[in-house]
């Protein structure tokens, strides 16, 4: 069984648990001490025959021993029972078990459970004591365990420690855990770990667990499951079987259980122990026997809090009665010393009375009284819970108050008394308790009180507490320093993708190129990295974070945190590493500085860890909401490409999609509010995100939905048309292109700033019902000149002036002459540049075709012809334009520009065409390679012609179809794979069956591949395939002639098989494969058709940017623009304006107003979304459920009040009867004569009765 499981990919514990018997021991009785009450039995509980020879051999030693002790009379041996446990007839889930000695170190066991067994570290440990054996559990105790304890533990992620047996309280807890695990969602609620700790010698059928090599799993038979029995309960996740060498005796686990509880109480909560408090441990007493007083006393002396269920019977009722003695009056004498002595004596007598009352059969009552008095001295650590009077639904609050009361007792006097309660609420992630008990307005919280809990909430992913702290006075600017931000990144759990990326950057900085392997249990955990000493350069710093962001964001934005590290943006990698290493070896003063953009930094930290709720909250708090959402989308999509876990990859993609939807929806709100400001929002250069814009980040994030927004398309359309009106006909542009002086006439309409202002003022903010998608793209004119002058205006705010873009101050600019301005308005528009390139490209293809078909002369000295020289020059200008586009297309480094250029598929097409043209040009110049040169040029002509597809991608009808065509090409490749396999299989078999010998490679290739391919289209040579037909071609069977090139004859005997294979081949290819291809095309078309418009709008951006930054003249006249650019940029050093296309720098009040306006739009959007969510059916059901719960709670309280009123009425009736009896007695007595008769009883309800 073990070998099979290992082969099937069992986990680590199955393969590497051979070390357990070496360090975990069991105990075996080594001295037989005869039990006087039962002959032939040892005091350990086992028979004489079960003892070894050594245990029975020492007759003298056993004669003087009166009492058997485990420490002295048992020996340790390697454990023989450990591994996994499978309950026969129960669920398939396996439980873990371990047989161990009672003196095993608890640290070793805790590490085994959390590291090797995979149990989640607890946020709370509740140890249920008492109720063992076949003790009858009361009904209300069952309800407390089921609705109170297990439910509260499930919401806090707790461990519940019991005996783990199918009897008493252990069985009740197991059934409650089973019911809650079935009903609750594993995603929404934490998993409860039920841990059974019981003596090994008490377990029924324990021999089934014994296997010296370990059991994976052990089959455990449970019989008579309807009754209580000392069998292990299958509802527990793990069992610790404590062995003291005894058999059938209880109490052998008490010492180890107390040590384990004490050890866990000193461990930290949270991920890798990153919490702010130790794990709270609470002992819960249910019923119990007198022998448990020792356990309670020792735990209280170790400051362990206890929760006593009053009314459950036994020891619990005794402690409840003893603790109530503090409220009883004690008569003291006048002397203070005598009064204290009398008080202690009176208390001792009262406790002794309670001992005799509850434990009448106990002999050593003095010891019980002393222990009870010791417990009474530590009564502040005990909480009494009366389940008959309190509702079990509030049990989590009872647990919290019990632990808080104990922690307040241990806490310092100077600290805030509510700090421990807050830390417990954060640890349990109970924001409802925090809101109702701690943040209800009665407590004044200081920043120092919330700082530590804020860090705990951030590291352990508790966004509701982060929101609560921020809403109640925590200033995030004061909280988040660069040092604390580095601490957050050091707390990243190992095994995550972010951890690997940070470690890779750290290794690169340290100069070690070795890859980072998967961390094992011996490698440093994030908590250890967090605790490393500063200044050694071996810890995660902001430089590693910047490297990870550079890897994910690429060339979209500048490097992050370089200013904090004292580095410049253009610093080389090697220089930056050297400076940072030198900085980290010294005292890093930057860590004490405040983070410049705290919300954005926290947003990046949350997104890198794929924490959706936390990232959403930080997005709500951060500024530049549209760009922030697009940045999160970009980071997540790049992370998903690096992620190997399928579940994490899917969740990252879903979160990226939600951020893209947020960006789209918020910008839609902005566009409806103010069109001009929304355009400025798209091209504004962000100081938070490294100088990028919304359009650049959206392009890098592949945010197709965002680019399909009407506002984005409207901006692109206005930039595309420049200063010309949107309704200009194409024929007017073509005519003006060939007759440039027509631009000074009224043939083409240009806009004026005054017309634009009137248009803006008269246009409503909301979209009218009659506006279609086309009209949305043409209502507001926004050209490149607008961008340039807005930038100039934002840099000089001393002379503001209202321009034609509302809300943007502008400076007066010198007015150009009409001839120059109109010329620039026409030729600088991207649509003009596009139209010129299209027309000239058609002419280029015509010239290319003319050269190939008509004027392609022989090699020199005869050729080339003049037209061919013109073609060479034309291609040279195209090459010059590609060089300009690559190396002069932006402010990035030449490596970044090359990387961006190569990523475009159409640029690859251009490089292929140019490369083929150069090869063809070289080959056609030599006689020996003239034919090859012509072939290369013919193929190159096809590549140049296919380049037209990209040009027509701007068309609204053709663009989506081109996208569909590109998607279908992928289907064709898959189809060709299947077709190639079938063609090769049929072609080889067919050729071998038709001809016995044919060494001609040319003929073999044609008949194996080419002929079966033609069969698909109906080209079937029946005369050649069927020997029954007459074949007029002369053939021979002579191998010598065939080898010389003669046609071989067909084989006659296997021709029947050839016909069958032909039928099968045609059936498969023409019917099966062709219809498969049609089905694939149909699926792709239907899938892409709905989103083809979105794809087209997304690709439209690249084309507009390309022609926006392109010179106005087209090849070959573009060489004039290139010469002009060379003179300006290289000789005169004039900076380029178009180099910053679609980028607008805003500063000062203009930037603040725009950011404030965007924040208002985001808040309005979130408010609207909240209203929609509240009006949904699910939210209404939740509110209705909360109201019903409140009503039920009030009804419960009403029942309690009614019960108390009835009890009070009974008491009043008794008092009234007693007083009546006293009055009658005194009236009949002759010794006392009253001065007046007794008062008569008045009818209080007489008026109401009469009125009715």
């Amino acid at each position: 069984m073990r070998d099979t499981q290992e082969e099937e990919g069992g986990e680590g514990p199955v393969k590497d648990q051979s070390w357990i018997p070496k360090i975990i021991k069991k105990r075996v009785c080594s001295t037989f001490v005869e039990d006087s009450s039962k002959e032939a039995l040892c005091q350990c509980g086992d028979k004489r025959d079960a003892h070894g020879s050594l245990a029975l051999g020492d007759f003298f030693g056993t004669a003087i021993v009166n009492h058997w002790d485990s420490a002295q009379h048992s020996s340790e041996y390697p454990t023989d029972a450990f591994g996994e446990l499978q309950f026969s007839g129960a669920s398939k889930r396996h439980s873990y078990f371990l047989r161990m000695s009672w003196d095993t170190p608890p640290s070793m066991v805790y590490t085994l459970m959390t590291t090797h067994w995979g149990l989640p570290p607890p946020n709370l440990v509740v140890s249920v004591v008492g109720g063992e054996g076949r003790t009858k559990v009361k009904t209300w105790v069952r309800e407390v365990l089921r609705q109170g304890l297990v439910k509260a533990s499930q919401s806090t992620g707790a461990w519940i420690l019991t005996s783990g047996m199918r009897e008493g309280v252990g069985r009740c807890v197991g059934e409650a855990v089973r019911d809650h695990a079935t009903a609750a969602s594993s995603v929404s609620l934490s998993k409860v770990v039920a841990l059974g700790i019981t003596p090994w010698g008490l377990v029924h059928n324990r021999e089934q667990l014994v296997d010296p090599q370990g059991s994976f799993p052990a089959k455990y038979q449970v019989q008579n499951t309807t009754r209580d029995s000392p069998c292990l309960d299958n509802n527990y996740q793990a069992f610790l079987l404590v062995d003291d060498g005894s058999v059938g005796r209880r109490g052998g686990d008490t010492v180890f259980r107390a040590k384990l509880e004490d050890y866990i109480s000193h461990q930290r909560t949270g991920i890798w122990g990153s919490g702010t408090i130790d794990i709270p441990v609470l002992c819960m007493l249910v019923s119990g026997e007198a022998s448990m007083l020792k356990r309670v006393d020792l735990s209280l002396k170790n400051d362990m809090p206890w929760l006593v269920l009053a009314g459950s019977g036994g020891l619990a009722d005794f402690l409840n009665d003893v603790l109530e003695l503090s409220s009883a009056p004690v008569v003291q004498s006048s002397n203070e010393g005598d009064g204290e002595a009398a008080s202690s004596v009176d208390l001792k007598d009262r406790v002794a009375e309670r001992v005799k009352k509850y434990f009448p059969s106990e002999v050593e009552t003095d010891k019980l009284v002393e222990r009870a008095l010791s417990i009474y001295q530590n009564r502040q650590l005990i909480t009494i819970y009366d389940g008959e009077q309190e509702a079990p639904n509030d049990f989590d609050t009872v647990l919290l108050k019990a632990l808080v009361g104990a922690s307040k007792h241990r806490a310092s006097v100077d600290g805030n008394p509510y700090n421990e309660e807050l830390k417990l609420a954060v640890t349990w992630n109970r924001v409802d308790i925090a809101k109702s008990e701690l943040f209800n307005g009665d407590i004044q919280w200081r920043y120092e009180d919330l700082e530590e809990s804020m860090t705990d909430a951030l590291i352990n992913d508790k966004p509701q507490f982060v929101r609560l702290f921020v809403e109640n006075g925590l200033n995030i600017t004061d909280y988040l320093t660069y040092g604390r931000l580095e601490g957050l990144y050091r707390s990243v759990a190992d095994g995550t993708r972010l951890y690997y990326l940070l470690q890779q950057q750290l290794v690169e900085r340290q100069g070690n190129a070795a890859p980072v392997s998967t961390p094992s249990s011996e490698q440093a955990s994030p908590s250890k990295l967090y605790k490393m000493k500063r200044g050694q350069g071996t810890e995660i710093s902001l430089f590693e974070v910047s490297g990870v962001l550079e890897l994910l964001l690429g060339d979209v934005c500048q490097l992050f945190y370089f200013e904090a590290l004292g580095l410049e943006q253009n610093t080389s990698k090697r220089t930056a590493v050297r400076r940072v290493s030198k900085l980290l070896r010294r005292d890093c003063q930057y860590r004490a500085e405040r983070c410049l953009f705290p919300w954005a930094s926290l947003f990046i930290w949350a997104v890198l860890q794929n924490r959706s709720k936390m990232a959403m909250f930080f997005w709500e708090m951060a500024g530049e909401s549209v760009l922030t959402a697009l940045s999160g989308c970009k980071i997540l999509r790049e992370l998903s490409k690096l992620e190997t876990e399928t579940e994490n990859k899917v969740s990252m993609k879903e979160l990226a999609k939600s951020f893209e939807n947020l960006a789209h929806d918020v910008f839609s709100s902005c566009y409806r509010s103010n069109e001009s400001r929304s355009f400025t929002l798209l091209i504004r250069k962000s100081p938070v995100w490294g100088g990028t814009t919304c359009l650049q980040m959206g392009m890098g994030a592949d945010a197709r939905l965002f680019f399909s927004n009407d506002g984005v398309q409207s901006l692109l359309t206005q930039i595309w048309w420049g200063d010309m009106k949107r309704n200009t006909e194409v024929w007017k542009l073509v005519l003006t292109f060939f007759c440039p002086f027509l631009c000074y006439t009224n043939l083409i309409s240009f806009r004026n700033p005054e017309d634009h202002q009137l248009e803006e003022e008269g246009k409503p903010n909301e979209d009218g019902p009659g506006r279609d998608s086309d009209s949305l793209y043409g209502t507001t004119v926004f050209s490149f000149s607008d961008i340039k002058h807005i930038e100039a205006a934002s840099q000089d705010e001393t002379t503001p002036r209202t321009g034609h873009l509302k809300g943007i101050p502008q400076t007066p600019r010198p007015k150009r002459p009409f001839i120059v301005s109109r010329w620039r308005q026409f030729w600088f528009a991207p649509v003009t540049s596009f139209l010129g390139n299209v027309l000239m490209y058609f002419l280029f293809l015509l010239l290319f075709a003319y050269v190939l078909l008509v004027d392609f002369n022989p090699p020199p000295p005869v050729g080339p012809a003049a037209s061919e020289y013109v073609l060479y020059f034309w291609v040279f200008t195209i090459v010059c334009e590609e060089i300009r586009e690559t190396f002069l297309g932006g402010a990035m480094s030449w490596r970044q520009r090359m990387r961006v250029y190569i990523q475009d598929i159409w640029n690859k097409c251009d490089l292929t065409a140019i490369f083929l043209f150069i090869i063809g040009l070289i080959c056609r110049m030599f006689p020996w390679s003239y034919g090859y040169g012509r072939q290369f040029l013919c193929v190159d002509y096809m590549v140049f012609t296919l380049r037209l597809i990209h040009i027509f991608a701007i068309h609204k009808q053709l663009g989506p179809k081109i996208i569909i065509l590109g998607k279908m090409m992928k289907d064709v490749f898959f189809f060709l794979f299947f077709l190639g396999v079938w063609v090769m299989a049929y072609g080889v078999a067919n050729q071998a069956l038709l001809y016995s010998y044919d060494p001609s490679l040319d003929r073999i290739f044609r008949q194996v591949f080419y002929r079966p391919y033609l069969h698909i289209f109906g080209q079937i040579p029946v005369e050649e395939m069927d020997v029954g037909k007459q074949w007029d071609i002369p053939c021979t069977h002579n191998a010598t002639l065939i080898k010389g090139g003669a046609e071989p004859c067909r084989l006659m005997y296997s021709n029947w098989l050839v016909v069958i294979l032909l039928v099968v081949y045609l059936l498969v290819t023409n019917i099966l494969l062709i219809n498969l291809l049609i089905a694939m095309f149909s699926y792709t078309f239907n899938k892409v058709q709905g989103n083809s418009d979105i794809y087209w709008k997304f690709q439209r951006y690249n084309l507009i940017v390309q022609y926006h930054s392109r010179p106005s003249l087209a090849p070959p006249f573009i060489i004039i623009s290139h010469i002009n650019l060379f003179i300006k940029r290289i000789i005169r050093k004039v900076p380029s304006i178009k180099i910053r296309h679609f980028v607008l720098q805003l500063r000062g009040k203009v930037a603040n107003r725009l950011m404030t306006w965007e924040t208002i739009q985001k808040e309005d959007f979130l408010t609207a979304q909240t209203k929609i969510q509240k009006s949904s059916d699910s939210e209404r059901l939740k509110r209705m459920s909360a109201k019903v719960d409140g009503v039920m709670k009030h009804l419960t309280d009403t029942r309690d009040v009614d019960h108390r009123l009835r009890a009070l009425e009974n008491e009043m009736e008794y008092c009234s009867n007693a007083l009546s009896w006293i009055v009658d007695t005194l009236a009949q007595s002759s010794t006392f004569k009253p001065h007046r008769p007794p008062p008569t009883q008045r009818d209080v309800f007489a008026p109401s009765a009469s009125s009715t």
Side-chain angles (χ1 to χ4, degrees), residues 637-654:
R637 283 179 175 163
E638 293 299 329
L639 268 179
S640 65
K641 298 177 183 177
L642 303 175
E643 184 61 55
T644 56
E645 298 291 337
T646 305
E647 185 177 355
N648 294 337
K649 184 189 291 290
V650 172
S651 63
M652 287 178 181
K653 291 181 178 180
E654 291 178 352

Side-chain angles (χ1 to χ4, degrees), residues 908-942:
K908 297 177 184 178
C909 181
D910 292 337
L911 291 178
T912 304
I914 293 172
F915 181 72
L916 291 176
F917 189 87
I918 293 174
I919 295 178
L921 173 62
I922 295 174
C923 292
R924 68 99 55 228
M925 293 299 175
F926 303 97
W928 61 271
S929 60
Y930 171 79
Y932 295 108
R934 184 181 178 88
Q935 294 173 8
F936 275 110
L937 290 177
C938 291
V939 175
D940 187 43
Y941 179 81
M942 294 181 60

Side-chain angles (χ1 to χ4, degrees), residues 629-693:
L630 291 173
S631 302
C633 177
K634 166 70 172 175
I635 294 174
L636 287 167
R637 283 179 175 163
E638 293 299 329
L639 268 179
S640 65
K641 298 177 183 177
L642 303 175
E643 184 61 55
T644 56
E645 298 291 337
T646 305
E647 185 177 355
N648 294 337
K649 184 189 291 290
V650 172
S651 63
M652 287 178 181
K653 291 181 178 180
E654 291 178 352
L655 185 56
K657 185 64 176 178
S658 63
F659 276 124
E660 183 181 358
N661 293 333
L662 282 176
H664 176 273
D665 296 339
V666 173
F667 183 75
S668 298
S669 178
C670 295
Y671 179 63
R672 288 191 297 267
S673 175
N674 191 306
E675 188 172 305
S676 181
R677 282 185 175 179
S678 64
F679 289 164
T680 309
L681 187 68
L682 291 176
I683 60 175
R684 174 202 51 192
K685 191 176 181 180
S686 170
V688 180
W689 293 96
T692 188
T693 66

Side-chain angles (χ1 to χ4, degrees), residues 873 877 1111 1113-1114 1116-1127:
F873 176 74
T877 59
L1113 298 178
F1117 306 106
I1118 199 173
I1119 192 65
I1120 302 175
S1121 299
H1122 291 163
I1123 296 174
N1124 182 31
L1125 288 175
F1126 179 81
I1127 295 174

Side-chain angles (χ1 to χ4, degrees), residues 167 229 362 393 421 460 558 583 593 805 834 1052 1222:
E167 58 182 7
S229 60
E362 293 293 331
N393 295 328
E421 190 171 357
N460 295 291
Q558 298 175 355
L583 174 65
E593 299 176 0
L805 286 179
F834 171 77
M1052 304 295 292
I1222 292 173

